[in-house]
Amino acid sequence: MMQPPVPSAMARLDDERRRNFVSATLSVLADNGYVGTTLARIAERAEVSPSLLVHYFGDKDTLLATAFWHLSESLRHEIMSRFQAAHTPRERLQAVIDSLLGRDQFRQAEGTTWLSFWGQVPHVSTLKRIQRIYQKRMLSNLSHDLKALLPGRDIHSLATSIAALIDGTWLRAALSEWEEADSAAARAQVTAFLDSQIALHQAKQPTLAIHVRQTDVCANWINGRPTPSGGARFETRNPATGEVIAQVESAGEREHEIAVESAKRGQKIWARMTGTERGRILRRAADLLRRDNDMLAHIETLDTGKPIAETRAVDILSGADALEYFGSVACTINGEAMDLGEQAFAYTRREPLGVTAGIGAWNYPIQIACWKSAPALACGNAMIFKSSEMTPLTSVRLAEIYREAGVPDGVFNVLHGAGDVGRRLCADPDIRKVSLTGSVPTGKAVMREAANTLKYVTLELGGKSPLIIFDDADVDNAVSAALLGNFYSGGEICSNGTRVFVQSGIRGRFLAELKRRVEAMKIGDPLAMDTDVGALISVQHLEKVMTYVKNGLAEGAQLLTGGQRLTDGPFAKGAFMQPTIFTGCHDDMTIACEEIFGPVMTVLDFHHEDEVIARANATEFGLAAGVFTNNLARGHRVVAALEAGTCWINQYNITPIEMPFGGYKQSGLGRENSQAALDHYTQIKSVYVALGNVESPY
């Protein structure tokens, strides 16, 4: 690592002199006030000539501004020092209070000096700028940790109230000529107010079911802010209760045009940053996602119906992993150099595509938004993200976090609405790439529309994935994988291993353990931490899944367990059904061929390796596959023969950000996650550099 140069003796002496002059200035201010502080008095206190002060600072105002900045920086360092010992948001808030109202701040000299500066702030522009920086830092420190403690509150307003209470408490003591100067009492007063706000929030928590209210209107996020349109709206409902969570504004043509123009402007600013700078901001956004995990998981559970135990453990944190990963690799996105002999060389540049579009699905709203935006932004692109109309709420929260982390306005916009919003994105010639997570029919429609302007396309589509369990597999592990690959998130996962092929030798043991564990799963309130199975996305989708259950029975499949919709008591208004397992299935049954996207597992028997490989591949899909065996040679051999883009051996549905994710055949094009995703968000420019003369026959 390159070390900074050692300052010369003169430079050190210069710095020491400046500090002495600032110290003398503060001393004179404490004795004489702002107007009475002159260069002559400062020079006398510093035991130098006034001309030397002029040499260093130019004039009185510059010297006093330097002293004010020094005073503010000293206070900032005091706060940062206390932060080192603070481990929680509440402790960091206390560190701010204890620093600003500490004993050192209630002494006569310090108080008079601060008052001298504050009295001149309205009249001296330089002092005004320093004061604004001081106030901005205080509000930022307070807001950062208040947001973690009090999700859903108007944090800026509360931070402003606390800052005003701190300043007012101190000012009252100063104006009383320190007769009321009691640092401990002042700190206790502000602390009591803070604790009352925390207690008030906690008292409301049992009855406050959501952090967004039915009266809320969720606007499109354009150019760094919510952008109300006053146009058409749609409702987003809690699938566990049927209640309206929020009204959501649809994006029309006007919102589309504004979003594209702001994305074009923001992308130019973003692309001019270095990869290191972009990466730093993305990693900061990852930290903010983790900070807000509980609040975001709560909203995600309300919007999707998934158990909060899942959304807290996976949905937001996996999105944060994506931001952290692509933030870390942003500085490594480079081209290559080619030696072409003595007369020339060449090199390539990896350049951003420009404005890209992401179209999300309803099953993993914020995770998908992160998976698509993180590589796009790391490469220097802007992204316009269309949230699913079924689960639109957390994508706007992600946009807020990006802005808080430092992403320029316009670089990440969110448009809400149905298929017409997505079609406009696919058709717009200013958008150079579309990444979709959705169904096969939607993927084909996106590809057709994108072809008109020759857009890059990444499609992560459906699946009917095989999970193959050989006789020598560990039965407990195989059952665990089958449960995760069919019933996690209510079975609403595109890569689920819904065709479970079990070799005949362990069929009986496997089914007995599978039935026992499924029937022990708790179906209930998605907000309860002990719930295993929540609600499906909507009653309409539930009815579609129940139609597949009826078809399975009609076609001769045997119901091992489940198969019923729950409608009693707390389930009356929600989209709840039992996890369902069919046995005695054949490959040509509807439930074994079509993607159900619900908690329905089909178990199929097999005898030989070649047989199961052929049957596993006999589908238009090719998203994922799993193999369970204690013979690793067989595991690698079978995986190599399977026509699937994402495969697991002795595991299922684990998708670390470092591993590419995507499918074969009609399950999609391109890859998400890992270094492979960078190829889909950059274009290569080749540059030939001649070192000699141009030879021409003409």
Side-chain angles (χ1 to χ4, degrees):
M1 179 184 295
M2 182 179 293
Q3 297 296 323
V6 178
S8 66
M10 182 59 69
R12 289 196 297 270
L13 179 60
D14 188 25
D15 291 342
E16 186 178 349
R17 279 185 174 178
R18 288 178 185 273
R19 287 193 294 271
N20 288 338
F21 296 155
V22 166
S23 178
T25 302
L26 295 173
S27 176
V28 173
L29 275 165
D31 293 341
N32 300 280
Y34 193 91
V35 176
T37 298
T38 64
L39 285 178
R41 282 178 170 162
I42 297 170
E44 182 182 1
R45 188 71 54 94
E47 298 181 345
V48 297
S49 67
S51 61
L52 187 59
L53 294 180
V54 173
H55 169 73
Y56 274 98
F57 299 99
D59 56 24
K60 169 188 168 181
D61 285 345
T62 302
L63 174 53
L64 291 176
T66 303
F68 191 24
W69 179 253
H70 171 80
L71 202 62
S72 299
E73 283 294 282
S74 297
L75 193 53
R76 183 176 74 87
H77 287 305
E78 165 71 12
I79 294 172
M80 298 308 295
S81 176
R82 290 180 184 266
F83 276 177
Q84 298 299 316
H87 304 294
T88 67
R90 179 62 185 83
E91 290 175 355
R92 287 192 291 272
L93 288 168
Q94 195 64 49
V96 175
I97 296 170
D98 291 348
S99 297
L100 297 177
L101 296 176
R103 290 186 179 88
D104 290 346
Q105 302 304 321
F106 276 73
R107 294 190 303 201
Q108 179 76 37
E110 281 75 6
T112 304
T113 304
W114 276 107
L115 282 177
S116 297
F117 284 128
W118 279 0
Q120 295 301 314
V121 162
H123 312 294
V124 182
S125 60
T126 305
L127 299 184
K128 186 182 294 185
R129 285 196 297 271
I130 296 171
Q131 178 66 10
R132 284 176 177 171
I133 292 171
Y134 164 83
Q135 292 289 350
K136 186 175 181 180
R137 283 174 175 169
M138 186 198 299
L139 290 174
S140 176
N141 286 332
L142 293 170
S143 297
H144 182 275
D145 293 303
L146 284 170
K147 192 171 184 180
L149 287 172
L150 307 173
R153 285 288 305 270
D154 182 355
I155 296 303
H156 179 76
S157 176
L158 180 56
T160 302
S161 298
I162 293 174
L165 186 57
I166 290 171
D167 289 341
T169 301
W170 184 93
L171 185 60
R172 181 177 177 83
L175 293 177
S176 72
E177 297 184 353
W178 306 104
E179 291 180 4
E180 299 177 11
D182 186 340
S183 170
R187 283 181 276 127
Q189 179 181 3
V190 179
T191 299
F193 174 74
L194 171 62
D195 287 340
S196 72
Q197 297 302 305
I198 295 173
L200 180 64
H201 176 79
Q202 291 175 342
K204 288 183 177 180
Q205 278 300 93
T207 57
L208 182 63
I210 53 178
H211 296 300
V212 284
R213 301 172 297 278
Q214 290 188 21
T215 55
D216 283 354
V217 175
C218 183
N220 298 285
W221 181 278
I222 303 173
N223 201 33
R225 59 192 57 84
T227 307
S229 66
R233 297 178 182 178
F234 60 92
E235 297 174 340
T236 181
R237 291 178 176 268
N238 181 343
T241 65
E243 296 174 344
V244 175
I245 304 173
Q247 301 285 332
V248 185
E249 289 193 333
S250 293
E253 292 185 6
R254 179 175 176 274
E255 287 72 40
H256 172 90
E257 292 171 1
I258 297 172
V260 171
E261 288 304 312
S262 72
K264 288 161 65 176
R265 290 193 304 271
Q267 191 270 330
K268 291 178 182 177
I269 297 170
W270 184 241
R272 283 197 297 267
M273 293 184 182
T274 66
T276 299
E277 291 170 328
R278 292 195 298 270
R280 186 181 303 120
I281 291 172
L282 289 176
R283 293 195 302 275
R284 189 179 303 143
D287 291 339
L288 297 176
L289 273 176
R290 295 187 179 107
R291 178 197 71 187
D292 294 347
N293 179 55
D294 287 355
M295 179 265 287
L296 292 169
H298 190 95
I299 297 173
E300 202 77 307
T301 289
L302 293 170
D303 223 7
T304 64
K306 295 193 291 185
I308 197 163
E310 295 181 15
T311 56
R312 280 185 178 177
V314 174
D315 294 48
I316 290 82
L317 297 181
S318 61
D321 287 348
L323 268 60
E324 182 176 15
Y325 175 84
F326 286 107
S328 299
V329 303
C331 61
T332 69
I333 303 171
N334 299 308
E336 58 180 335
M338 289 140 278
D339 187 346
L340 301 178
E342 296 182 355
Q343 297 300 309
F345 70 93
Y347 64 91
T348 60
R349 292 169 50 89
R350 278 199 167 273
E351 297 183 345
L353 301 175
V355 179
T356 66
I359 300 177
W362 47 257
N363 58 337
Y364 277 88
I366 198 167
Q367 183 200 72
I368 291 172
C370 291
W371 278 20
K372 294 185 185 304
S373 62
L377 269 58
C379 295
N381 301 287
M383 172 165 278
I384 301 173
F385 185 78
K386 192 200 92 67
S387 62
S388 167
E389 61 270 33
M390 302 289 285
T391 52
L393 298 180
T394 50
S395 57
V396 173
R397 305 286 174 144
L398 175 62
E400 293 174 351
I401 281 175
Y402 272 142
R403 190 173 193 274
E404 183 180 351
V407 173
D409 293 347
V411 172
F412 184 75
N413 293 326
V414 177
L415 298 181
H416 301 303
D420 59 315
V421 180
R423 280 190 290 273
R424 277 192 290 269
L425 293 172
C426 296
D428 195 310
D430 286 327
I431 295 175
R432 297 305 308 138
K433 159 72 183 276
V434 176
S435 177
L436 165 79
T437 298
S439 66
V440 172
T442 302
K444 292 178 179 179
V446 166
M447 198 167 182
R448 280 194 298 268
E449 188 63 62
N452 294 324
T453 50
L454 288 181
K455 284 178 172 56
Y456 294 89
V457 175
T458 295
L459 303 175
E460 198 276 281
L461 307 178
K464 192 69 178 176
S465 302
L467 174 57
I468 302 171
I469 301 169
F470 286 93
D471 281 344
D472 64 345
D474 182 294
V475 172
D476 287 338
N477 283 336
V479 169
S480 295
L483 295 175
L484 288 171
N486 281 269
F487 304 132
Y488 199 79
S489 291
E492 296 167 327
I493 301 177
C494 54
S495 57
N496 269 355
T498 53
R499 292 184 296 149
V500 181
F501 293 90
V502 183
Q503 201 164 17
S504 54
I506 61 168
R507 181 180 184 277
R509 284 189 295 144
F510 177 86
L511 290 177
E513 181 64 9
L514 184 67
K515 184 176 187 293
R516 182 189 71 79
R517 289 175 61 178
V518 167
E519 292 178 350
M521 295 168 71
K522 179 181 177 181
I523 309 170
D525 178 5
L527 289 175
M529 284 300 296
D530 61 346
T531 292
D532 298 311
V533 181
L536 298 191
I537 189 62
S538 68
V539 171
Q540 292 77 13
H541 183 67
L542 169 63
E543 290 171 349
K544 177 183 175 183
V545 175
M546 292 303 301
T547 298
Y548 279 105
V549 173
K550 294 175 184 176
N551 287 342
L553 292 171
E555 293 178 5
Q558 300 164 12
L559 191 62
L560 180 67
T561 188
Q564 299 295 316
R565 177 181 176 181
L566 302 179
T567 57
D568 294 336
F571 304 118
K573 296 182 179 180
F576 294 90
M577 70 172 288
Q578 297 171 328
T580 301
I581 302 172
F582 281 109
T583 62
C585 301
H586 302 291
D587 294 354
D588 58 354
M589 288 180 172
T590 304
I591 57 173
C593 297
E594 297 182 11
E595 184 178 33
I596 299 173
F597 223 66
V600 179
M601 179 195 304
T602 58
V603 180
L604 303 108
D605 303 336
F606 79 94
H607 298 283
H608 306 294
E609 179 180 315
D610 291 343
E611 167 210 343
V612 75
I613 290 172
R615 293 169 62 193
N617 288 337
T619 173
E620 64 182 9
F621 299 107
L623 183 54
V627 176
F628 270 76
T629 177
N630 281 328
N631 183 338
L632 286 181
R634 169 191 279 161
H636 291 296
R637 182 172 64 246
V638 172
V639 159
L642 292 173
E643 297 169 354
T646 307
C647 297
W648 295 273
I649 298 175
N650 294 332
Q651 186 56 275
Y652 204 84
N653 259 356
I654 301 299
T655 54
I657 197 67
E658 298 86 351
M659 187 176 84
F661 181 79
Y664 284 8
K665 299 190 284 190
Q666 293 197 40
S667 286
L669 301 170
R671 290 295 180 270
E672 296 192 294
N673 298 345
S674 81
Q675 296 275 345
L678 301 177
D679 294 336
H680 302 292
Y681 287 99
T682 55
Q683 53 195 345
I684 296 177
K685 177 180 287 181
S686 297
V687 182
Y688 180 97
V689 182
L691 301 176
N693 296 322
V694 177
E695 296 183 8
S696 172
Y698 310 110

